[in-house]
Structures are given as structure tokens and as C-alpha cells.
Short mmCIF file of all heavy atoms in Angstrom, two decimals:
data_model
loop_
_atom_site.label_atom_id
_atom_site.label_comp_id
_atom_site.label_asym_id
_atom_site.label_seq_id
_atom_site.Cartn_x
_atom_site.Cartn_y
_atom_site.Cartn_z
N ALA A 1 0.78 -1.24 0.00
CA ALA A 1 0.00 0.00 0.00
C ALA A 1 0.82 1.30 0.00
O ALA A 1 0.54 2.20 -0.80
CB ALA A 1 -0.97 0.01 1.18
N PRO A 2 1.82 1.46 0.88
CA PRO A 2 2.45 2.78 1.04
C PRO A 2 3.18 3.27 -0.21
O PRO A 2 3.73 2.49 -0.98
CB PRO A 2 3.44 2.55 2.19
CG PRO A 2 2.97 1.33 2.89
CD PRO A 2 2.37 0.48 1.83
N ARG A 3 3.19 4.58 -0.36
CA ARG A 3 3.99 5.19 -1.43
C ARG A 3 5.47 4.98 -1.18
O ARG A 3 6.27 4.83 -2.10
CB ARG A 3 3.69 6.69 -1.49
CG ARG A 3 2.29 7.04 -1.93
CD ARG A 3 1.98 8.49 -1.64
NE ARG A 3 2.02 8.75 -0.19
CZ ARG A 3 2.02 9.96 0.34
NH1 ARG A 3 2.02 11.03 -0.44
NH2 ARG A 3 2.03 10.12 1.66
N ASN A 4 5.86 4.97 0.09
CA ASN A 4 7.26 4.78 0.47
C ASN A 4 7.33 3.59 1.42
O ASN A 4 7.26 3.75 2.65
CB ASN A 4 7.81 6.04 1.14
CG ASN A 4 9.26 5.90 1.52
OD1 ASN A 4 9.99 5.07 0.96
ND2 ASN A 4 9.71 6.70 2.48
N PRO A 5 7.45 2.37 0.91
CA PRO A 5 7.36 1.17 1.73
C PRO A 5 8.65 0.87 2.52
O PRO A 5 9.37 -0.08 2.21
CB PRO A 5 7.05 0.07 0.72
CG PRO A 5 7.72 0.54 -0.53
CD PRO A 5 7.59 2.04 -0.54
N ASN A 6 8.88 1.68 3.52
CA ASN A 6 10.05 1.49 4.38
C ASN A 6 9.67 1.80 5.83
O ASN A 6 8.87 2.71 6.09
CB ASN A 6 11.19 2.43 3.96
CG ASN A 6 11.76 2.08 2.59
OD1 ASN A 6 12.40 1.06 2.43
ND2 ASN A 6 11.50 2.94 1.61
N PHE A 7 10.24 1.04 6.74
CA PHE A 7 10.01 1.31 8.16
C PHE A 7 10.62 2.66 8.51
O PHE A 7 11.64 3.06 7.95
CB PHE A 7 10.65 0.21 9.02
CG PHE A 7 9.92 -1.10 8.95
CD1 PHE A 7 10.35 -2.12 8.11
CD2 PHE A 7 8.81 -1.33 9.75
CE1 PHE A 7 9.68 -3.33 8.05
CE2 PHE A 7 8.13 -2.54 9.70
CZ PHE A 7 8.57 -3.54 8.85
N ILE A 8 9.97 3.34 9.46
CA ILE A 8 10.47 4.62 9.93
C ILE A 8 10.44 4.65 11.45
O ILE A 8 9.83 3.79 12.09
CB ILE A 8 9.64 5.81 9.37
CG1 ILE A 8 8.19 5.70 9.84
CG2 ILE A 8 9.72 5.85 7.86
CD1 ILE A 8 7.33 6.90 9.47
N GLU A 9 11.09 5.64 12.03
CA GLU A 9 11.08 5.81 13.48
C GLU A 9 10.12 6.95 13.83
O GLU A 9 10.21 8.04 13.25
CB GLU A 9 12.49 6.13 13.98
CG GLU A 9 12.61 6.21 15.49
CD GLU A 9 14.04 6.42 15.95
OE1 GLU A 9 14.91 5.64 15.51
OE2 GLU A 9 14.28 7.38 16.73
N ASP A 10 9.18 6.70 14.74
CA ASP A 10 8.22 7.73 15.09
C ASP A 10 8.80 8.68 16.14
O ASP A 10 9.97 8.56 16.53
CB ASP A 10 6.90 7.13 15.56
CG ASP A 10 7.00 6.40 16.90
OD1 ASP A 10 8.03 6.51 17.58
OD2 ASP A 10 6.01 5.72 17.26
N SER A 11 8.00 9.65 16.59
CA SER A 11 8.48 10.69 17.50
C SER A 11 8.88 10.14 18.87
O SER A 11 9.61 10.79 19.62
CB SER A 11 7.40 11.76 17.69
OG SER A 11 6.21 11.18 18.21
N GLU A 12 8.42 8.93 19.19
CA GLU A 12 8.77 8.30 20.47
C GLU A 12 9.92 7.32 20.33
O GLU A 12 10.26 6.62 21.29
CB GLU A 12 7.54 7.60 21.06
CG GLU A 12 6.39 8.56 21.37
CD GLU A 12 5.18 7.84 21.90
OE1 GLU A 12 5.13 6.59 21.78
OE2 GLU A 12 4.29 8.50 22.45
N GLY A 13 10.48 7.24 19.14
CA GLY A 13 11.61 6.36 18.92
C GLY A 13 11.25 4.92 18.59
O GLY A 13 12.12 4.05 18.57
N HIS A 14 9.96 4.66 18.30
CA HIS A 14 9.52 3.32 17.95
C HIS A 14 9.60 3.12 16.43
O HIS A 14 9.32 4.04 15.66
CB HIS A 14 8.09 3.07 18.42
CG HIS A 14 7.90 3.19 19.89
ND1 HIS A 14 8.50 2.34 20.78
CD2 HIS A 14 7.18 4.08 20.63
CE1 HIS A 14 8.15 2.67 22.01
NE2 HIS A 14 7.36 3.74 21.95
N ILE A 15 9.97 1.91 16.02
CA ILE A 15 9.97 1.57 14.61
C ILE A 15 8.54 1.24 14.19
O ILE A 15 7.88 0.39 14.79
CB ILE A 15 10.89 0.38 14.32
CG1 ILE A 15 12.33 0.72 14.73
CG2 ILE A 15 10.83 -0.01 12.84
CD1 ILE A 15 12.92 1.89 13.96
N VAL A 16 8.04 1.94 13.17
CA VAL A 16 6.67 1.74 12.71
C VAL A 16 6.63 1.62 11.20
O VAL A 16 7.58 1.98 10.49
CB VAL A 16 5.76 2.92 13.16
CG1 VAL A 16 5.69 2.99 14.68
CG2 VAL A 16 6.25 4.24 12.58
N TRP A 17 5.49 1.13 10.71
CA TRP A 17 5.27 0.99 9.27
C TRP A 17 4.31 2.09 8.82
O TRP A 17 3.19 2.18 9.33
CB TRP A 17 4.70 -0.38 8.94
CG TRP A 17 4.49 -0.63 7.48
CD1 TRP A 17 3.31 -0.64 6.80
CD2 TRP A 17 5.51 -0.89 6.51
NE1 TRP A 17 3.52 -0.91 5.47
CE2 TRP A 17 4.87 -1.06 5.26
CE3 TRP A 17 6.90 -1.00 6.58
CZ2 TRP A 17 5.56 -1.35 4.09
CZ3 TRP A 17 7.60 -1.28 5.41
CH2 TRP A 17 6.94 -1.45 4.18
N PRO A 18 4.71 2.94 7.88
CA PRO A 18 3.90 4.11 7.50
C PRO A 18 2.78 3.77 6.51
O PRO A 18 2.90 4.04 5.32
CB PRO A 18 4.93 5.04 6.86
CG PRO A 18 5.90 4.09 6.20
CD PRO A 18 5.97 2.88 7.12
N LEU A 19 1.70 3.20 7.00
CA LEU A 19 0.60 2.82 6.12
C LEU A 19 -0.13 4.06 5.59
O LEU A 19 -0.51 4.95 6.35
CB LEU A 19 -0.39 1.94 6.88
CG LEU A 19 -1.61 1.47 6.09
CD1 LEU A 19 -1.19 0.60 4.91
CD2 LEU A 19 -2.57 0.72 6.99
N ASP A 20 -0.31 4.12 4.30
CA ASP A 20 -1.12 5.18 3.71
C ASP A 20 -1.72 4.68 2.40
O ASP A 20 -1.28 3.68 1.83
CB ASP A 20 -0.32 6.47 3.49
CG ASP A 20 0.77 6.32 2.42
OD1 ASP A 20 1.13 5.18 2.10
OD2 ASP A 20 1.26 7.35 1.94
N LYS A 21 -2.77 5.33 1.94
CA LYS A 21 -3.45 5.02 0.68
C LYS A 21 -3.83 3.54 0.56
O LYS A 21 -3.81 2.96 -0.54
CB LYS A 21 -2.57 5.45 -0.50
CG LYS A 21 -2.40 6.97 -0.61
CD LYS A 21 -1.68 7.35 -1.89
CE LYS A 21 -1.65 8.86 -2.06
NZ LYS A 21 -3.00 9.45 -2.24
N TYR A 22 -4.21 2.93 1.67
CA TYR A 22 -4.54 1.51 1.65
C TYR A 22 -5.70 1.20 0.71
O TYR A 22 -5.69 0.21 -0.02
CB TYR A 22 -4.87 1.02 3.06
CG TYR A 22 -5.21 -0.46 3.11
CD1 TYR A 22 -4.20 -1.42 3.10
CD2 TYR A 22 -6.54 -0.90 3.12
CE1 TYR A 22 -4.51 -2.78 3.12
CE2 TYR A 22 -6.86 -2.24 3.14
CZ TYR A 22 -5.83 -3.18 3.14
OH TYR A 22 -6.14 -4.52 3.14
N LEU A 23 -6.71 2.06 0.70
CA LEU A 23 -7.90 1.80 -0.11
C LEU A 23 -7.76 2.26 -1.56
O LEU A 23 -8.64 1.99 -2.37
CB LEU A 23 -9.12 2.47 0.53
CG LEU A 23 -9.53 1.89 1.90
CD1 LEU A 23 -10.70 2.67 2.46
CD2 LEU A 23 -9.87 0.41 1.80
N ASP A 24 -6.67 2.93 -1.87
CA ASP A 24 -6.43 3.37 -3.25
C ASP A 24 -5.63 2.30 -3.98
O ASP A 24 -4.40 2.26 -3.93
CB ASP A 24 -5.67 4.70 -3.27
CG ASP A 24 -6.50 5.84 -2.71
OD1 ASP A 24 -7.74 5.71 -2.66
OD2 ASP A 24 -5.91 6.85 -2.29
N GLU A 25 -6.34 1.42 -4.65
CA GLU A 25 -5.68 0.30 -5.32
C GLU A 25 -5.03 0.73 -6.63
O GLU A 25 -5.34 1.78 -7.18
CB GLU A 25 -6.70 -0.83 -5.56
CG GLU A 25 -7.31 -1.37 -4.29
CD GLU A 25 -8.21 -2.57 -4.52
OE1 GLU A 25 -8.85 -2.63 -5.59
OE2 GLU A 25 -8.26 -3.44 -3.65
N GLY A 26 -4.11 -0.10 -7.09
CA GLY A 26 -3.47 0.18 -8.37
C GLY A 26 -1.97 0.10 -8.32
O GLY A 26 -1.39 -0.50 -7.40
N GLU A 27 -1.32 0.72 -9.29
CA GLU A 27 0.14 0.62 -9.43
C GLU A 27 0.87 1.28 -8.27
O GLU A 27 0.47 2.33 -7.78
CB GLU A 27 0.60 1.26 -10.73
CG GLU A 27 0.35 0.44 -11.96
CD GLU A 27 1.07 1.00 -13.19
OE1 GLU A 27 1.77 2.03 -13.05
OE2 GLU A 27 0.93 0.41 -14.27
N ARG A 28 1.97 0.63 -7.88
CA ARG A 28 2.92 1.21 -6.95
C ARG A 28 4.31 1.06 -7.57
O ARG A 28 4.69 -0.04 -8.01
CB ARG A 28 2.89 0.51 -5.59
CG ARG A 28 1.57 0.61 -4.84
CD ARG A 28 1.25 2.04 -4.43
NE ARG A 28 0.16 2.09 -3.46
CZ ARG A 28 -1.13 2.16 -3.77
NH1 ARG A 28 -1.49 2.19 -5.06
NH2 ARG A 28 -2.06 2.22 -2.83
N HIS A 29 5.06 2.13 -7.63
CA HIS A 29 6.41 2.09 -8.16
C HIS A 29 7.39 2.09 -7.00
O HIS A 29 7.37 3.01 -6.16
CB HIS A 29 6.65 3.31 -9.07
CG HIS A 29 5.82 3.29 -10.30
ND1 HIS A 29 6.37 3.11 -11.56
CD2 HIS A 29 4.48 3.41 -10.49
CE1 HIS A 29 5.39 3.13 -12.46
NE2 HIS A 29 4.25 3.31 -11.84
N THR A 30 8.19 1.05 -6.91
CA THR A 30 9.11 0.90 -5.78
C THR A 30 10.53 0.64 -6.29
O THR A 30 10.74 0.28 -7.44
CB THR A 30 8.69 -0.26 -4.87
OG1 THR A 30 8.82 -1.51 -5.59
CG2 THR A 30 7.24 -0.11 -4.41
N ASN A 31 11.46 0.82 -5.39
CA ASN A 31 12.86 0.48 -5.67
C ASN A 31 13.22 -0.73 -4.81
O ASN A 31 13.54 -0.60 -3.63
CB ASN A 31 13.78 1.66 -5.36
CG ASN A 31 13.48 2.87 -6.24
OD1 ASN A 31 13.07 2.72 -7.38
ND2 ASN A 31 13.70 4.05 -5.71
N TRP A 32 13.10 -1.90 -5.41
CA TRP A 32 13.42 -3.16 -4.74
C TRP A 32 14.38 -3.94 -5.63
O TRP A 32 14.00 -4.42 -6.68
CB TRP A 32 12.16 -3.98 -4.47
CG TRP A 32 12.45 -5.30 -3.81
CD1 TRP A 32 12.96 -5.52 -2.57
CD2 TRP A 32 12.25 -6.61 -4.39
NE1 TRP A 32 13.10 -6.86 -2.34
CE2 TRP A 32 12.67 -7.55 -3.43
CE3 TRP A 32 11.76 -7.04 -5.62
CZ2 TRP A 32 12.61 -8.93 -3.66
CZ3 TRP A 32 11.69 -8.42 -5.85
CH2 TRP A 32 12.12 -9.35 -4.88
N LEU A 33 15.64 -3.99 -5.22
CA LEU A 33 16.73 -4.62 -5.98
C LEU A 33 17.11 -3.81 -7.22
O LEU A 33 18.22 -3.93 -7.71
CB LEU A 33 16.38 -6.05 -6.39
CG LEU A 33 16.03 -7.03 -5.26
CD1 LEU A 33 15.77 -8.43 -5.85
CD2 LEU A 33 17.12 -7.10 -4.21
N ALA A 34 16.18 -3.03 -7.71
CA ALA A 34 16.44 -2.13 -8.84
C ALA A 34 15.41 -1.01 -8.79
O ALA A 34 14.40 -1.13 -8.09
CB ALA A 34 16.37 -2.87 -10.17
N GLU A 35 15.65 0.06 -9.51
CA GLU A 35 14.71 1.17 -9.52
C GLU A 35 13.54 0.89 -10.47
O GLU A 35 13.69 0.23 -11.49
CB GLU A 35 15.42 2.45 -9.93
CG GLU A 35 16.47 2.93 -8.94
CD GLU A 35 17.05 4.28 -9.32
OE1 GLU A 35 16.65 4.82 -10.38
OE2 GLU A 35 17.90 4.79 -8.57
#
């Protein structure tokens, strides 16, 4: 789902997954092993 599928650190220092646009189906362009 996310536009940027990478774990991030929140304001409390916890590692979280930035879920967004879950209901907007379709193409996602990612950089995995190649651009």
C-alpha cells in the first residue's frame, strides 16, 4: 500500500510501518533490488 514502503522511526523512537493510501488500489512504483 504505502507510497514509500520502508520502516520509519516515530516521535517516540519506535519503529513503525507508515501505512497510507490503503484503499487506493493500483500501481505502486518501488525500488526493490532495482529502480
Side-chain angles (χ1 to χ4, degrees):
R3 293 166 297 168
N4 182 21
N6 293 290
F7 288 97
I8 61 174
E9 185 176 308
D10 68 10
S11 59
E12 298 178 346
H14 300 295
I15 300 298
V16 297
W17 182 255
L19 180 62
D20 67 342
K21 293 188 174 295
Y22 180 80
L23 294 177
D24 294 340
E25 299 186 328
E27 284 191 1
R28 297 294 193 271
H29 294 249
T30 66
N31 297 329
W32 178 65
L33 303 182
E35 294 185 359

